[in-house]
Amino acid sequence: MKSMVPPFRIKVVEPAKVTTREERWQALKDANMNVFLLDAEDCYIDLLTDSGTGAMSTRQWAALMLGDESYAGSRSFKKFEETIKTITGIKHVLPTHQGRAAENILATIVKPGHVIPNNSHFDTTRANIEFVGGKALNLLCEEGLDMGSEAPFKGNMDLEKLEACIEEYGAEQIPFCMITVTNNTGGGQPVSMENIRAVKAILAQHDIPLIIDACRFAENAFFIHEREEGYQDKTLLEIAQEMFSYADGATMSCKKDGMANIGGFLICNDDAWAEHFRNALILREGFPTYGGLAGRDLEVIAVGLMEALDYDYQAYRHSCVEYIAEKLDEMGVPYLRPVGGHAIYLDAKAFLQHIPQSQYPGIGLVNALYIEGGVRGVELGSVMFGSKDEQGNEIPSELELVRLAIPRRVYTQSHFDYLVQVIGEVWKNRFVVCGYKMTKEPPFLRHFTCHFEAVEAARRVIPLRVRKTGS
Ligand code: F0G
């Protein structure tokens, strides 16, 4: 077992509340058994997301003080712009307050009936496209759909499906095609350089621009460095530069590989698009040299984007997920393989085989992890992605996953050892974990605010465990 080697020391610490099992049980009951409704301070290890939850470096904190808060033409914007141009080579840079704001502005060129292919759309990307009447298509490669496949680039786009899509809808209906690196919705799996190059070649024949959803571009660059032939002697910056050289634009959430707590951007090469986007930006976010951010945020991001491309940082980052994955392998805990860049995706269907999909095994697992050890994960299964037929009956989602996303530079190996222990305990006692029914369901994005209740049989089991094992 290789230890992780963090390329940093800890200078400031944030207290984390240690709770007892009884307190967690009560907190979850008060939150109507939905971990989204918990107070964050009641979560000892919060793995809800890797977005905006990272720790900044001393260089970023120092940069924060340099923020130029001028309304127009600030020095901080120049640094932000220059850094992004160095990494991407793309001409126009528009800051936004986060990734979905960039998507929202990009979607202003989508018209009803347009089709936007992607390896897999993230939910906000899909929502922004569908909101303006576009159709968001996922064209993920076959290996990406196979939970057990150990293929190195399971985030790749299926090239045949892309060609078929252009044939079916016609290039004039496709204002741009996207590719998401890494593919969050598909388990944080990487996309190979070969695939990005091939996608671009197909699109170029039809004059369709390629937009990269670049949230985790540096993690993807690291995967290419480790797994793709010909990239071992290149720096992560050089790999990123090549990735973006195939793109006509990109959307970015700097809450991921910008190593910042807030921020994003939209970039493009086309002058007419840039003009249009700038006008949309002014309406939605602010003047084009701050776009929804403070000058200090721009400074922090300019430093963070480069820190994300540090090889030692990425090696450490990937060793965190690999460390957890190896321990899960030892215990036989099922998860989506091979492990992705920013998260472990537990396979709740295989983990809790006694819970039918109609009783949300993903929620069963999320809640059990919380009660057992104050670990907050998120269900990516039938609650988040399930749909309904015309009679209102639930159609379960294909996969029932629980994502444990790892915030950047926040938790230590000891935290991960604790996490593994918690997962191990739940795994050992999995047959007493119960299913849930929904008792309150909002009409949209129900996972955020719905209420759950344990199904009858299990309601008797869990309190017993609470009394028996104590904290
Ligand atoms: N694209 C991808 C691939 C993402 O993972 C996210 C956010 C966004 C776009 C939107 O960016 O949050 O800054 O508006 N993902 C977070 C997550 C929320 O938990 O995976 P945003």
Side-chain angles (χ1 to χ4, degrees):
M1 168 78 56
K2 247 178 35 193
S3 275
M4 54 196 73
V5 183
F8 53 81
R9 290 185 209 117
I10 297 166
K11 193 164 195 163
V12 176
V13 294
E14 182 182 355
K17 190 164 107 184
V18 178
T19 51
T20 63
R21 187 192 294 269
E22 284 80 358
E23 284 166 345
R24 295 190 291 270
W25 172 249
Q26 190 56 49
L28 194 55
K29 266 206 326 210
D30 293 345
N32 289 294
M33 306 312 276
N34 181 350
V35 293
F36 274 106
L37 303 178
L38 285 168
D39 286 344
E41 69 164 4
D42 290 333
C43 303
Y44 178 58
I45 297 198
D46 199 348
L47 307 181
L48 194 59
T49 178
D50 65 321
S51 180
T53 51
M56 295 207 297
S57 67
T58 47
R59 274 189 234 110
Q60 285 179 295
W61 282 108
L64 196 101
M65 291 302 291
L66 301 175
D68 173 357
E69 306 301 344
S70 308
Y71 192 90
S74 77
R75 203 175 48 237
S76 303
F77 174 70
K78 299 273 175 224
K79 279 195 214 163
F80 177 83
E81 186 184 37
E82 200 181 300
T83 308
I84 293 165
K85 283 188 177 176
T86 302
I87 297 170
T88 67
I90 291 178
K91 192 171 166 193
H92 301 284
V93 175
L94 291 81
T96 61
H97 80 276
Q98 60 182 88
R100 67 199 69 183
E103 294 161 3
N104 181 266
I105 291 165
L106 177 66
T108 56
I109 57 172
V110 176
K111 301 277 169 285
H114 277 171
V115 174
I116 316 294
N118 200 330
N119 46 353
S120 304
H121 287 276
F122 184 65
D123 54 8
T124 57
T125 325
R126 170 178 295 281
N128 270 304
I129 291 167
E130 289 177 350
F131 186 73
V132 291
K135 187 172 171 155
L137 278 187
N138 287 349
L139 306 181
L140 188 61
C141 64
E142 291 301 320
E143 310 89 88
L145 300 168
D146 175 0
M147 287 275 281
S149 159
E150 295 280 348
F153 289 104
K154 288 171 73 170
N156 282 353
M157 184 174 277
D158 187 315
L159 302 174
E160 279 174 25
K161 285 187 201 160
L162 176 61
E163 278 173 332
C165 161
I166 299 171
E167 173 101 20
E168 183 181 347
Y169 296 99
E172 55 305 332
Q173 286 303 99
I174 307 176
F176 55 87
C177 167
M178 295 185 78
I179 195 152
T180 305
V181 300
T182 57
N183 184 26
N184 185 9
T185 312
Q189 301 293 329
V191 181
S192 71
M193 193 72 86
E194 189 187 5
N195 190 253
I196 301 176
R197 203 181 296 126
V199 166
K200 175 64 186 173
I202 293 170
L203 298 176
Q205 289 168 21
H206 303 275
D207 274 334
I208 300 171
L210 174 62
I211 305 293
I212 294 185
D213 175 338
C215 292
R216 298 177 182 85
F217 75 99
E219 286 174 17
N220 201 74
F222 180 82
F223 275 119
I224 290 176
H225 184 279
E226 300 302 292
R227 296 185 183 172
E228 192 163 351
E229 205 166 324
Y231 289 92
Q232 285 63 49
D233 296 329
K234 299 222 187 290
T235 63
L236 300 188
L237 175 60
E238 286 166 341
I239 296 173
Q241 285 167 333
E242 186 182 339
M243 277 161 50
F244 286 109
S245 73
Y246 304 119
D248 301 279
T251 55
M252 172 76 187
S253 167
C254 298
K255 299 169 78 171
K256 286 85 172 174
D257 280 350
M259 313 289 279
N261 301 119
I262 196 72
F265 57 77
L266 171 63
I267 54 178
C268 67
N269 276 325
D270 186 84
D271 295 339
W273 269 18
E275 179 76 17
H276 170 85
F277 290 152
R278 262 190 210 105
N279 290 326
L281 185 79
I282 291 171
L283 201 62
R284 291 168 170 79
E285 296 281 283
F287 192 75
T289 60
Y290 72 86
L293 291 172
R296 54 180 170 270
D297 298 325
L298 300 169
E299 295 274 349
V300 158
I301 293 164
V303 176
L305 288 167
M306 283 304 186
E307 288 186 352
L309 287 167
D310 174 54
Y311 183 84
D312 292 337
Y313 160 70
Q314 282 298 338
Y316 145 77
R317 169 107 179 118
H318 286 254
S319 73
C320 297
V321 275
E322 278 161 19
Y323 181 83
I324 300 165
E326 272 180 45
K327 302 256 180 188
L328 297 185
D329 283 341
E330 283 165 20
M331 298 189 291
V333 173
Y335 65 92
L336 184 65
R337 308 174 61 93
V339 70
H342 66 294
I344 311 271
Y345 294 66
L346 297 175
D347 180 353
K349 223 197 275 184
F351 198 117
L352 299 174
Q353 292 180 14
H354 58 290
I355 302 182
Q357 280 188 277
S358 57
Q359 291 179 11
Y360 312 125
I363 297 300
L365 184 50
V366 164
N367 286 356
L369 291 172
Y370 179 72
I371 295 166
E372 183 62 39
V375 171
R376 176 157 69 168
V378 62
E379 188 252 21
L380 305 178
S382 292
V383 176
M384 196 180 275
F385 298 124
S387 50
K388 298 218 166 133
D389 66 14
E390 274 156 23
Q391 283 78 49
N393 302 313
E394 292 229 349
I395 307 171
S397 77
E398 199 179 320
L399 300 178
E400 299 288 352
L401 300 177
V402 168
R403 187 181 76 167
L404 305 174
I406 312 297
R408 293 168 181 78
R409 303 187 291 207
V410 169
Y411 294 113
T412 64
Q413 190 163 330
S414 324
H415 289 104
F416 296 131
D417 284 334
Y418 171 80
L419 167 70
V420 166
Q421 260 177 37
V422 171
I423 299 172
E425 273 305 301
V426 175
W427 177 239
K428 265 196 284 180
N429 297 302
R430 60 192 177 278
F431 295 109
V432 302
V433 174
C434 61
Y436 284 83
K437 62 179 182 218
M438 215 178 282
T439 51
K440 183 182 152 205
E441 183 182 353
F444 308 109
L445 297 171
R446 62 182 186 174
H447 54 282
F448 288 127
T449 54
C450 63
H451 295 177
F452 298 104
E453 216 173 73
V455 291
E456 271 306 311
R459 256 201 296 182
R460 289 195 299 272
V461 174
I462 284 195
L464 272 179
R465 261 180 61 67
V466 170
R467 278 201 297 276
K468 212 168 66 189
T469 16
S471 58

